[in-house]
Amino acid sequence: EILRSDWSSDVCSSDLAGPVIAVARDKAFCFYYQDNIDSLKNAGAKIVFFSPLTDAQLPEGIDGIYLGGGYPEIFAEDLSDKRDLLEQIAALSRSGMPIYGECGGFMYLCREISGMELEDPEDPEEQVSKTAPARHAMTGCFDFSTQMSHRLRSLGYREITLTQNTLIGKKGAVIRGHEFHYSSLNTAGSQDPAVKNVYQVTSRVGQNLDLKGYQKNLTLGSYFHVHFGSNSGCASTFVENCVNFRKIRLTSLKTGPIPDQIQRASIKSDKEHHGCKNA
């Protein structure tokens, strides 16, 4: 459970203030559509920035987290050394805080990042290294691992249809963006029934693709870079979920620890309201 002291804040003391979303921004997480940040602000969110590379903990008083693309594989060792921050994010994910990670941010939400594969796929008989690639622990919100590759794994414009209500949109919503990454995802051994694929993905020409979007509690991660401008419901739904979380967080400051699995309140609200590079 998350104790009250973890939620005290001078960022927004008023119950009427908009939700606060912490956005990762440093050398490891540096790719964002500016439209996405602007859309969140226009939907009523206050944006605060933090650095997973240098900060010991998250900003106080936040109601959601946005982890964009970048190069976490380059800084994997330094990111892994921030154990308190990694554990704080994992605990918040379990407690239902809205957390969105795309590409590099998704890798950060996985269990670990492994360095470059041993063999060059262009010449499998030639070993690039005689030692196994280094493995660096990340937040573990998803029980997946990612492995860096010598070649580009995927590149192109994508269109997704949401197959369930999600952190960034209602079931049936169509959203566009792009995919670009050199790492691959390994889901083998993950038996968590709470993790659901919530994306149906096609290419620009309508070809079905295997790209997935994984959601657990209110944590959503994928290699897909969403362009919020392609669907106005993206930002508004993200902020709406943060508003719901904020209400529970502020109530907990007066009554005691936040109970686990508080995302159920956000999911209930979702059903009641029907509005709608490696980077």
Side-chain angles (χ1 to χ4, degrees):
E1 63 186 14
I2 311 301
L3 300 179
R4 284 186 295 176
S5 58
D6 294 319
W7 295 103
S8 59
S9 173
D10 293 327
V11 174
C12 284
S13 58
S14 171
D15 290 13
L16 300 178
V20 181
I21 299 177
V23 177
R25 187 172 68 176
D26 55 23
K27 291 184 291 185
F29 302 97
C30 53
F31 181 89
Y32 294 88
Y33 286 120
Q34 184 59 42
D35 280 354
N36 290 10
I37 305 298
D38 294 341
S39 295
L40 292 172
K41 291 179 180 178
N42 292 336
K46 175 181 175 63
I47 302 299
V48 295
F49 295 100
F50 75 102
S51 170
L53 274 174
T54 61
D55 291 344
Q57 61 183 8
L58 291 163
E60 291 186 339
I62 63 172
D63 307 297
I65 301 172
Y66 181 7
L67 300 156
Y71 308 93
E73 71 279 5
I74 295 177
F75 304 98
E77 184 174 359
D78 291 332
L79 291 170
S80 185
D81 286 343
K82 296 291 184 180
R83 293 309 310 166
D84 288 346
L85 178 60
L86 296 174
E87 291 169 6
Q88 185 184 20
I89 293 173
L92 293 173
S93 173
R94 292 191 298 271
S95 292
M97 174 177 280
I99 301 175
Y100 174 57
E102 54 188 17
C103 206
F106 174 46
M107 295 168 69
Y108 186 68
L109 291 176
C110 292
R111 183 182 69 252
E112 66 181 18
I113 295 175
S114 295
M116 200 66 70
E117 57 195 356
L118 291 178
E119 295 179 349
D120 184 339
E122 301 299 326
D123 187 2
E125 296 184 358
E126 181 180 350
Q127 279 202 334
V128 176
S129 172
K130 295 182 179 180
T131 60
R135 298 161 59 183
H136 300 286
M138 296 291 122
T139 64
C141 296
F142 296 105
D143 189 23
F144 306 149
S145 62
T146 58
Q147 169 81 58
M148 292 308 300
S149 173
H150 294 273
R151 63 182 178 87
L152 183 63
R153 289 291 180 177
S154 190
L155 171 65
Y157 292 109
R158 307 288 183 247
E159 180 175 281
I160 66 170
T161 301
L162 300 179
T163 59
Q164 298 182 27
N165 288 343
T166 74
L167 172 60
I168 59 168
K170 314 295 185 185
K171 180 178 179 180
V174 176
I175 306 170
R176 296 181 180 87
H178 80 275
E179 181 184 11
F180 173 40
H181 55 97
Y182 279 82
S183 67
S184 58
L185 183 68
N186 182 5
T187 62
S190 177
Q191 304 294 327
D192 191 345
V195 177
K196 307 294 184 183
N197 173 35
V198 295
Y199 289 178
Q200 179 181 334
V201 186
T202 61
S203 68
R204 193 174 186 179
V205 295
Q207 177 185 7
N208 289 326
L209 300 174
D210 193 43
L211 174 65
K212 293 178 171 59
Y214 297 96
Q215 184 165 273
K216 178 181 179 181
N217 305 328
L218 276 179
T219 297
L220 175 64
S222 176
Y223 276 119
F224 179 63
H225 290 271
V226 170
H227 185 240
F228 287 3
S230 69
N231 188 313
S232 61
C234 290
S236 62
T237 305
F238 192 170
V239 172
E240 178 187 346
N241 278 294
C242 293
V243 167
N244 294 334
F245 185 87
R246 178 178 178 79
K247 292 175 182 176
I248 299 171
R249 177 175 69 80
L250 292 176
T251 299
S252 75
L253 291 174
K254 304 171 184 176
T255 61
I258 294 179
D260 202 18
Q261 303 303 319
I262 63 174
Q263 77 277 1
R264 280 177 286 186
S266 293
I267 292 173
K268 179 180 179 182
S269 176
D270 230 15
K271 294 178 179 177
E272 292 173 346
H273 296 83
H274 299 283
C276 134
K277 300 126 96 318
N278 191 50

